[in-house]
Amino acid sequence: MDINLFKLCSGLKVLGYFMILLVAAIIAVSYYAVVVITCGPQLLRGGVHSFFGFSIIILFHILLVMLVWSYVMVVFWDPGSVPENWRSVSVSSSSSSGVNLEAGTSSQSLDNVGPDARGPSRSVGFCDRCQNGKPPRCHHCSVCQRCVLKMDHHCVWVVNCVGARNYKFYQVLGQSQRNHSSSPANLAIVFLAFVINLAFALSLLCFIVMHSSLVSSNTTSIEVYEKKRTVRWKYDLGRKKNFEQVFGTNKALWFFPLFSKEDSDSIPALHGLDFPTC
């Protein structure tokens, strides 16, 4: 009996659901440690401590809302999938040398088009597993069992792929906190919250450093090795424009998991089907 290893990869989704529960538990323990144990007694005592505790609680809730909001968006927002029956259709040499992209995309001149295209320079490809066309920077995810637009990687922490339409939300995650307690039980909870959040924060810091570098060069995690084989990365438009390809041009929404309607309409890269090149 033949075993499809790619279908077995979809079993990682089950692991992802446990990760979501783990994140929820970390948030619950952190909330109890910061709000109930640390700052709650200060608010009851009043005075200067009350003002300090109130300020910490306000800051903590702002960070908590941003964290949960961003996390939920990454979990539930579609990273972008290829439209059904999206294929590159070669135009006959007698009429034109360009190609027409179905499913509502615009016509453009491309090299190495179709399922027989090979090498890192191809713009449009074909997925044998999905039996569908592959837009530029699109990759097949063996866990999700589909092609994902501008796929960066599959993240087990969110049971979802990080791609063209939710990459910004993935970038906005972060967390921090402090310590005060009286009873041994409360001290143990605060210490546990501190250790968990420290480990969580350090792991996120590594991701922030790595993905900040990727954003500055307009590269995904999958494309890092492909980029090394080229003299100049064709999607690198300069740091400012590279940043806008992910976060948009509306500065007020840069650090919120949202896109303005103007950016959604004017920046093709946010849809994952078409990308400007240098």
Side-chain angles (χ1 to χ4, degrees):
M1 183 177 66
D2 293 334
I3 298 177
N4 190 330
L5 296 178
F6 293 106
K7 286 189 176 180
L8 291 178
C9 290
S10 61
L12 289 174
K13 285 186 177 181
V14 177
L15 176 61
Y17 295 128
F18 286 105
M19 294 299 188
I20 291 179
L21 293 177
L22 178 59
V23 171
I26 292 174
I27 293 174
V29 170
S30 301
Y31 189 89
Y32 184 78
V34 174
V35 177
V36 178
I37 296 178
T38 305
C39 298
Q42 295 180 5
L43 291 177
L44 293 176
R45 285 196 298 267
V48 177
H49 292 292
S50 175
F51 176 78
F52 176 76
F54 184 75
S55 301
I56 292 295
I57 286 180
I58 293 295
L59 177 61
F60 178 80
H61 278 88
I62 291 174
L63 293 175
L64 182 63
V65 168
M66 290 296 297
L67 170 69
V68 174
W69 185 9
S70 300
Y71 186 76
V72 169
M73 290 293 284
V74 177
V75 171
F76 293 105
W77 200 265
D78 187 356
S81 55
V82 183
E84 189 176 357
N85 296 324
W86 188 95
R87 295 178 186 274
S88 60
V89 182
S90 298
V91 180
S92 61
S93 58
S94 59
S95 59
S96 173
S97 60
V99 291
N100 178 37
L101 303 181
E102 291 184 352
T105 55
S106 59
S107 298
Q108 55 183 320
S109 177
L110 297 169
D111 296 326
N112 301 324
V113 177
D116 295 329
R118 295 289 183 269
S121 62
R122 72 178 184 269
S123 294
V124 177
F126 184 83
C127 180
D128 294 328
R129 278 170 273 174
C130 293
Q131 289 298 302
N132 199 5
K134 289 176 67 176
R137 314 181 78 178
C138 175
H139 296 274
H140 186 90
C141 176
S142 299
V143 180
C144 295
Q145 294 292 307
R146 62 170 177 163
C147 283
V148 177
L149 301 177
K150 196 189 174 185
M151 179 180 172
D152 188 89
H153 69 289
H154 182 92
C155 182
V156 295
W157 287 92
V158 299
V159 204
N160 200 2
C161 275
V162 178
R165 299 176 186 175
N166 67 350
Y167 186 58
K168 176 185 177 181
F169 313 149
Y170 182 78
Q171 290 278 44
V172 184
L173 295 172
Q175 194 177 12
S176 65
Q177 66 178 12
R178 270 184 117 155
N179 193 342
H180 267 254
S181 184
S182 53
S183 70
N186 288 346
L187 181 61
I189 293 175
V190 172
F191 179 75
L192 176 63
F194 171 78
V195 172
I196 292 175
N197 279 276
L198 179 61
F200 197 51
L202 288 176
S203 64
L204 286 178
L205 179 61
C206 294
F207 275 106
I208 289 173
V209 172
M210 180 182 74
H211 284 280
S212 295
S213 174
L214 294 177
V215 169
S216 67
S217 60
N218 201 358
T219 312
T220 64
S221 298
I222 293 177
E223 293 171 338
V224 168
Y225 299 102
E226 182 179 331
K227 179 184 174 185
K228 290 180 179 179
R229 298 196 296 266
T230 62
V231 177
R232 176 172 174 79
W233 184 236
K234 62 182 178 181
Y235 297 113
D236 190 350
L237 308 176
R239 290 186 179 180
K240 183 177 183 294
K241 289 187 177 180
N242 290 343
F243 184 87
E244 292 174 350
Q245 293 288 298
V246 174
F247 288 85
T249 58
N250 190 329
K251 296 180 180 180
L253 297 179
W254 272 357
F255 299 106
F256 290 90
L258 291 171
F259 290 111
S260 66
K261 186 178 184 304
E262 293 76 12
D263 285 342
S264 297
D265 293 339
S266 62
I267 303 179
L270 297 181
H271 298 280
L273 290 170
D274 188 23
F275 301 92
T277 57
C278 58

